[in-house]
């Protein structure tokens, strides 16, 4: 009897959290964004109630609530996470582009990337989890904040041991962490909810006129920064093109940026990264043609 009461209480609390999440995701003051948020909830796994998912997918949102002063929402395990409003500035095509270059498809992710991974061909790689989230280049505090609500506390604690570790030592750690599974629903939700928005915010702060770019072009720079970091002011030959992109943005020479992205191919002999730079340049160009 006590067990039944406990299960009922847990289910009630879970249902409450999910309905609160829906409420927050339509409290953005923007009908188009609210529709995107509802679709994201229904398809991402953040809402597990199949009846509620069906209602969300069938819903025709014709009005929204005023934007809340609290820009957070609730994660998969009940934690507070940032809302996804920043994603409105880049195209869904750009998001799919980044995911494709990081893990290809959900099926491929489940087969090859759902456990901590080390890319031995890149000596500077750390332990990578989710959609290209490299633990070698984040702080412990950021890692815990980014994954709170998407992984259990125990898994987060174990993975925190890989923070800041790169090279062969990261490979040894990845081997020890293979029993940790990060399902696609958690990886994709975390990527869109807590990884991409800060990158977009940083680009808006780092590059003048970023808000004036069309969604595909803005998304191409997000993809570039996700791979190369915010290195638009770093010195040295390796960052020549990144600095030039920053100058082109400031001077509104948007048409010059694709050639600067392509010029970066000189830095990598690997076909994968050369193909990525070419695709980023093409995505940027497609935005300018819209």
């Amino acid at each position: 009897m006590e067990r039944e009461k406990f299960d009922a209480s847990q289910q009630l609390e879970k249902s409450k959290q999910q309905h609160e999440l829906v409420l927050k995701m339509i409290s953005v003051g923007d009908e188009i964004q609210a529709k995107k948020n509802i679709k994201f909830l229904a398809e991402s796994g953040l809402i597990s109630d199949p009846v509620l998912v069906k209602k969300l997918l069938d819903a025709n949102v014709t009005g929204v609530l005023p934007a809340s002063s609290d820009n957070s929402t609730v994660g998969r395990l009940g934690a507070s996470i940032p809302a996804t409003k920043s994603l409105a500035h880049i195209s869904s095509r750009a998001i799919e582009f980044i995911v494709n270059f990081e893990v290809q498809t959900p099926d491929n992710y489940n087969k090859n990337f759902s456990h901590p991974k080390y890319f031995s061909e890149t000596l500077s790689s750390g332990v990578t989890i989710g959609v290209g989230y490299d633990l070698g280049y984040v702080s412990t505090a950021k890692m815990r904040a980014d994954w709170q609500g998407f992984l259990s506390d125990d898994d987060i604690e174990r993975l925190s041991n890989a923070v800041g570790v790169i090279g062969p030592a990261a490979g040894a750690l990845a081997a020890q962490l293979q029993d940790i599974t990060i399902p696609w629903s958690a990886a994709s939700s975390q990527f869109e909810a807590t990884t991409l928005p800060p990158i977009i915010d940083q680009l808006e702060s780092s590059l003048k006129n970023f808000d004036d770019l069309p969604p595909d072009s803005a998304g191409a720079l997000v993809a570039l920064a996700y791979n190369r970091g915010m290195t638009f002011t770093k010195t040295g030959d390796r960052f020549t093109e990144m600095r030039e992109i920053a100058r082109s943005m400031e001077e509104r020479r948007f048409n010059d940026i694709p050639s600067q992205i392509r010029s970066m191919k000189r830095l990598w002999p690997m076909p994968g990264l050369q193909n990525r730079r070419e695709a980023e340049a093409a995505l940027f160009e497609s935005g300018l043609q819209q």
Side-chain angles (χ1 to χ4, degrees):
M1 187 66 169
E2 290 301 318
R3 179 64 185 179
E4 291 177 356
K5 287 182 179 179
F6 175 78
D7 290 343
S9 174
Q10 290 292 96
Q11 184 59 42
L12 182 61
E13 179 61 25
K14 184 177 181 181
S15 177
K16 178 183 176 183
Q17 288 179 353
Q18 294 189 354
H19 283 83
E20 286 177 350
L21 176 55
V22 172
L23 182 62
K24 287 188 176 185
M25 290 294 264
I26 65 172
S27 301
V28 294
D30 183 316
E31 183 173 327
I32 294 176
Q33 185 60 42
K35 288 179 178 179
K36 290 181 179 178
N37 289 349
I38 288 297
K39 187 172 186 289
F40 170 70
L41 286 180
E43 295 179 347
S44 66
L46 285 169
I47 299 297
S48 59
D49 181 344
V51 176
L52 182 55
V53 167
K54 186 176 187 306
K55 288 181 178 179
L56 291 176
L57 288 174
D58 292 343
N60 181 23
V61 179
T62 56
V64 297
L65 299 176
S68 168
S69 59
D70 177 8
N71 292 322
S72 65
T73 186
V74 179
R76 288 175 53 80
L77 303 181
S80 177
I81 58 175
T84 59
K85 194 172 181 180
S86 295
L87 295 183
H89 189 63
I90 68 173
S91 64
S92 58
R93 180 184 177 192
I95 297 174
E96 292 170 0
F97 171 95
I98 300 171
V99 171
N100 179 67
F101 269 96
E102 296 295 339
V103 299
Q104 296 181 16
T105 65
D107 285 345
N108 190 63
Y109 172 88
N110 288 328
K111 182 179 179 181
N112 296 306
F113 297 98
S114 59
H115 303 284
K117 192 172 183 66
Y118 171 67
F119 296 93
S120 58
E121 66 273 16
T122 305
L123 294 179
S124 59
S125 172
V127 175
T128 299
I129 61 175
V131 183
Y133 191 99
D134 194 330
L135 296 173
Y137 294 90
V138 295
S139 67
T140 300
K142 177 171 173 55
M143 177 267 178
R144 286 176 172 163
D146 284 350
W147 287 93
Q148 187 65 45
F150 298 97
L151 295 176
S152 70
D153 290 343
D154 287 344
D155 285 347
I156 290 175
E157 187 62 31
R158 290 182 61 200
L159 288 167
S160 68
N161 293 320
V163 167
V165 180
I166 62 174
L173 275 174
Q176 296 171 19
L177 297 167
Q178 285 304 292
D179 59 308
I180 295 177
T181 300
I182 304 171
W184 171 246
S185 58
S188 58
S189 298
Q190 186 278 333
F191 178 67
E192 293 196 27
T194 68
T195 295
L196 279 186
I199 294 175
I200 297 170
D201 292 342
Q202 289 178 60
L203 283 170
E204 290 174 344
S205 300
S206 301
L207 298 178
K208 293 185 181 299
N209 303 309
F210 180 79
D211 287 342
D212 294 337
L213 290 175
D216 273 358
S217 300
L221 291 186
V222 172
L224 177 65
Y226 190 56
N227 184 248
R228 294 210 66 189
M230 296 293 162
T231 54
F232 300 99
T233 60
K234 291 198 72 169
T235 59
D237 176 68
R238 190 166 188 80
F239 304 101
T240 297
E241 292 87 357
M242 297 295 280
R243 294 193 302 272
E244 186 57 34
I245 286 173
R247 282 193 288 270
S248 296
M249 288 294 295
E250 184 173 4
E251 297 168 9
R252 302 186 67 84
R253 292 185 286 111
F254 300 151
N255 286 321
D256 292 346
I257 292 176
S259 64
Q260 292 152 8
I261 296 175
R262 289 188 173 99
S263 177
M264 296 181 202
K265 294 179 187 179
R266 68 186 177 85
L267 300 170
W268 298 282
M270 301 87 79
L273 283 173
Q274 292 198 355
N275 291 339
R276 180 168 183 152
R277 296 291 90 89
E278 178 62 35
E280 288 163 351
L283 182 63
F284 194 99
E285 286 172 333
S286 73
L288 297 180
Q289 296 165 5
Q290 291 172 354

